Amino acid sequence: MVTSQRFAIPMELFWWFFTIVLFAVGLIGTVAPVLPGTTIILAAAVIHRIMLGPEKSIGRITIIVLVLLTLATYALDFLAGYFGAKHFGATKWGTFGAILGALVGLFFGILGLFVGPVIGAIAGEFLAGKRLVDAGRAGWGSLLGNIGAMVAKLIIALAMIAIFLIAVPSPF
Protein backbone atom coordinates (compact mmCIF):
# COMPACT_ATOMS: atom_id res chain seq x y z
CA MET A 1 0.00 0.00 0.00
CA VAL A 2 2.85 2.37 0.73
CA THR A 3 4.42 1.67 -2.67
CA SER A 4 1.20 2.45 -4.54
CA GLN A 5 0.93 5.78 -2.72
CA ARG A 6 4.57 6.43 -3.49
CA PHE A 7 3.86 6.22 -7.24
CA ALA A 8 0.42 7.86 -7.22
CA ILE A 9 1.67 11.43 -7.05
CA PRO A 10 4.39 11.08 -9.68
CA MET A 11 1.93 9.45 -12.12
CA GLU A 12 -0.59 12.22 -11.55
CA LEU A 13 2.11 14.80 -12.19
CA PHE A 14 3.18 12.89 -15.29
CA TRP A 15 -0.35 13.14 -16.71
CA TRP A 16 -0.48 16.84 -15.85
CA PHE A 17 2.83 17.37 -17.65
CA PHE A 18 1.60 15.30 -20.62
CA THR A 19 -1.60 17.38 -20.79
CA ILE A 20 0.29 20.68 -20.65
CA VAL A 21 2.65 19.55 -23.43
CA LEU A 22 -0.35 18.63 -25.59
CA PHE A 23 -1.93 22.00 -24.80
CA ALA A 24 1.24 23.72 -26.07
CA VAL A 25 1.23 21.60 -29.24
CA GLY A 26 -2.46 22.42 -29.68
CA LEU A 27 -1.79 26.16 -29.40
CA ILE A 28 0.89 25.85 -32.06
CA GLY A 29 -1.60 23.90 -34.15
CA THR A 30 -4.13 26.73 -34.10
CA VAL A 31 -1.60 28.82 -36.02
CA ALA A 32 0.22 26.12 -38.02
CA PRO A 33 -2.03 24.53 -40.64
CA VAL A 34 -0.57 21.02 -40.34
CA LEU A 35 -1.82 20.37 -36.79
CA PRO A 36 -5.45 20.26 -35.67
CA GLY A 37 -4.91 22.57 -32.70
CA THR A 38 -8.20 22.50 -30.85
CA THR A 39 -8.61 18.78 -31.49
CA ILE A 40 -5.25 18.18 -29.78
CA ILE A 41 -6.36 20.33 -26.83
CA LEU A 42 -9.63 18.38 -26.60
CA ALA A 43 -7.72 15.09 -26.79
CA ALA A 44 -5.41 16.23 -23.98
CA ALA A 45 -8.39 17.02 -21.75
CA VAL A 46 -10.06 13.67 -22.50
CA ILE A 47 -6.83 11.73 -21.92
CA HIS A 48 -6.39 13.58 -18.62
CA ARG A 49 -9.88 12.51 -17.54
CA ILE A 50 -9.37 8.90 -18.64
CA MET A 51 -6.03 8.57 -16.87
CA LEU A 52 -6.89 10.40 -13.63
CA GLY A 53 -10.60 9.73 -13.32
CA PRO A 54 -13.53 12.13 -12.96
CA GLU A 55 -12.73 13.04 -9.35
CA LYS A 56 -9.32 14.50 -10.33
CA SER A 57 -10.19 15.77 -13.79
CA ILE A 58 -12.96 17.44 -15.78
CA GLY A 59 -16.62 16.51 -15.71
CA ARG A 60 -18.93 15.55 -18.56
CA ILE A 61 -20.34 19.05 -18.96
CA THR A 62 -16.84 20.44 -19.42
CA ILE A 63 -16.09 17.80 -22.05
CA ILE A 64 -19.27 18.75 -23.92
CA VAL A 65 -18.29 22.44 -23.82
CA LEU A 66 -14.81 21.61 -25.14
CA VAL A 67 -16.27 19.47 -27.94
CA LEU A 68 -18.60 22.30 -28.97
CA LEU A 69 -15.74 24.80 -28.98
CA THR A 70 -13.66 22.41 -31.10
CA LEU A 71 -16.50 22.07 -33.61
CA ALA A 72 -16.84 25.86 -33.69
CA THR A 73 -13.21 26.21 -34.81
CA TYR A 74 -13.81 23.83 -37.71
CA ALA A 75 -16.84 25.86 -38.74
CA LEU A 76 -14.65 28.98 -38.64
CA ASP A 77 -12.16 27.36 -41.02
CA PHE A 78 -14.82 26.63 -43.60
CA LEU A 79 -16.70 29.91 -43.31
CA ALA A 80 -13.81 32.38 -42.99
CA GLY A 81 -12.55 32.41 -46.56
CA TYR A 82 -16.05 32.22 -47.96
CA PHE A 83 -17.49 35.13 -46.00
CA GLY A 84 -14.27 37.13 -46.22
CA ALA A 85 -14.26 36.95 -50.00
CA LYS A 86 -18.05 37.38 -50.22
CA HIS A 87 -17.95 40.49 -48.03
CA PHE A 88 -15.53 42.12 -50.47
CA GLY A 89 -17.73 41.38 -53.47
CA ALA A 90 -16.52 38.00 -54.72
CA THR A 91 -18.72 35.98 -57.04
CA LYS A 92 -19.23 32.26 -56.56
CA TRP A 93 -16.24 31.74 -58.85
CA GLY A 94 -14.09 33.80 -56.49
CA THR A 95 -15.29 32.01 -53.38
CA PHE A 96 -14.80 28.63 -55.07
CA GLY A 97 -11.31 29.75 -56.09
CA ALA A 98 -10.55 30.81 -52.51
CA ILE A 99 -11.61 27.42 -51.16
CA LEU A 100 -9.64 25.57 -53.84
CA GLY A 101 -6.64 27.82 -53.23
CA ALA A 102 -6.79 27.06 -49.49
CA LEU A 103 -6.78 23.32 -50.19
CA VAL A 104 -3.82 23.61 -52.55
CA GLY A 105 -2.10 26.02 -50.16
CA LEU A 106 -2.10 23.37 -47.42
CA PHE A 107 0.67 21.59 -49.29
CA PHE A 108 2.90 24.67 -49.12
CA GLY A 109 2.93 25.26 -45.38
CA ILE A 110 1.80 28.33 -43.52
CA LEU A 111 2.66 30.70 -46.37
CA GLY A 112 0.55 28.60 -48.75
CA LEU A 113 -2.37 28.75 -46.35
CA PHE A 114 -2.44 32.52 -46.64
CA VAL A 115 -1.37 32.97 -50.26
CA GLY A 116 -3.37 30.05 -51.72
CA PRO A 117 -6.85 31.46 -51.01
CA VAL A 118 -5.81 34.88 -52.28
CA ILE A 119 -4.49 33.49 -55.57
CA GLY A 120 -7.52 31.20 -55.83
CA ALA A 121 -10.00 34.04 -55.27
CA ILE A 122 -8.25 36.26 -57.80
CA ALA A 123 -8.08 33.43 -60.36
CA GLY A 124 -11.75 32.62 -59.81
CA GLU A 125 -12.73 36.24 -60.33
CA PHE A 126 -10.69 36.40 -63.53
CA LEU A 127 -12.52 33.30 -64.76
CA ALA A 128 -15.80 35.08 -64.00
CA GLY A 129 -14.65 38.00 -66.17
CA LYS A 130 -13.96 40.51 -63.38
CA ARG A 131 -11.37 43.27 -63.61
CA LEU A 132 -8.09 43.17 -61.69
CA VAL A 133 -9.30 45.62 -59.03
CA ASP A 134 -12.45 43.59 -58.29
CA ALA A 135 -10.49 40.34 -58.32
CA GLY A 136 -7.95 41.87 -55.94
CA ARG A 137 -10.72 42.88 -53.53
CA ALA A 138 -11.98 39.30 -53.43
CA GLY A 139 -8.44 38.05 -52.73
CA TRP A 140 -7.98 40.66 -50.00
CA GLY A 141 -11.28 39.61 -48.41
CA SER A 142 -10.22 35.97 -48.43
CA LEU A 143 -6.92 36.85 -46.73
CA LEU A 144 -8.63 38.94 -44.06
CA GLY A 145 -11.17 36.17 -43.45
CA ASN A 146 -8.43 33.59 -42.95
CA ILE A 147 -6.44 35.82 -40.61
CA GLY A 148 -9.59 36.58 -38.63
CA ALA A 149 -10.38 32.87 -38.35
CA MET A 150 -6.85 32.11 -37.16
CA VAL A 151 -7.08 34.77 -34.44
CA ALA A 152 -10.53 33.52 -33.41
CA LYS A 153 -9.26 29.91 -33.27
CA LEU A 154 -6.35 30.99 -31.08
CA ILE A 155 -8.74 32.78 -28.70
CA ILE A 156 -11.01 29.71 -28.59
CA ALA A 157 -8.00 27.45 -27.93
CA LEU A 158 -6.89 29.66 -25.04
CA ALA A 159 -10.46 29.64 -23.70
CA MET A 160 -10.52 25.84 -23.88
CA ILE A 161 -7.32 25.62 -21.84
CA ALA A 162 -8.64 28.16 -19.33
CA ILE A 163 -11.91 26.22 -18.97
CA PHE A 164 -9.94 23.04 -18.36
CA LEU A 165 -7.67 24.64 -15.75
CA ILE A 166 -10.62 26.21 -13.94
CA ALA A 167 -12.65 22.97 -13.95
CA VAL A 168 -9.88 20.63 -12.78
CA PRO A 169 -8.82 20.51 -9.14
CA SER A 170 -5.19 21.45 -8.55
CA PRO A 171 -2.82 18.50 -8.21
CA PHE A 172 -0.97 20.22 -5.36
Side-chain angles (χ1 to χ4, degrees):
M1 184 124 165
V2 173
T3 56
S4 67
Q5 286 179 346
R6 186 173 151 204
F7 291 110
I9 293 175
M11 283 309 291
E12 184 176 345
L13 290 178
F14 168 79
W15 290 113
W16 267 98
F17 177 75
F18 181 79
T19 302
I20 290 170
V21 167
L22 284 182
F23 283 168
V25 171
L27 283 175
I28 292 168
T30 59
V31 180
V34 293
L35 298 172
T38 53
T39 303
I40 293 171
I41 293 170
L42 174 63
V46 170
I47 291 169
H48 187 272
R49 177 181 164 108
I50 290 170
M51 298 313 295
L52 297 180
E55 64 280 344
K56 292 185 178 183
S57 190
I58 56 176
R60 289 182 182 157
I61 301 293
T62 305
I63 291 174
I64 291 169
V65 169
L66 295 179
V67 167
L68 292 174
L69 288 172
T70 300
L71 292 174
T73 62
Y74 283 103
L76 278 172
D77 277 338
F78 287 110
L79 298 176
Y82 173 77
F83 283 117
K86 206 63 159 159
H87 181 70
F88 280 81
T91 63
K92 59 181 157 182
W93 282 98
T95 54
F96 176 74
I99 292 168
L100 188 62
L103 292 174
V104 172
L106 284 174
F107 296 105
F108 297 98
I110 194 153
L111 184 63
L113 187 67
F114 290 109
V115 175
V118 173
I119 292 172
I122 291 171
E125 290 301 313
F126 275 140
L127 286 174
K130 292 272 187 143
R131 298 175 321 164
L132 178 62
V133 172
D134 295 328
R137 279 191 197 121
W140 178 248
S142 178
L143 176 66
L144 290 178
N146 285 331
I147 290 172
M150 183 181 67
V151 170
K153 286 187 332 183
L154 185 60
I155 290 169
I156 291 172
L158 289 169
M160 290 172 70
I161 293 170
I163 289 167
F164 175 87
L165 293 174
I166 291 168
V168 176
S170 174
F172 304 105

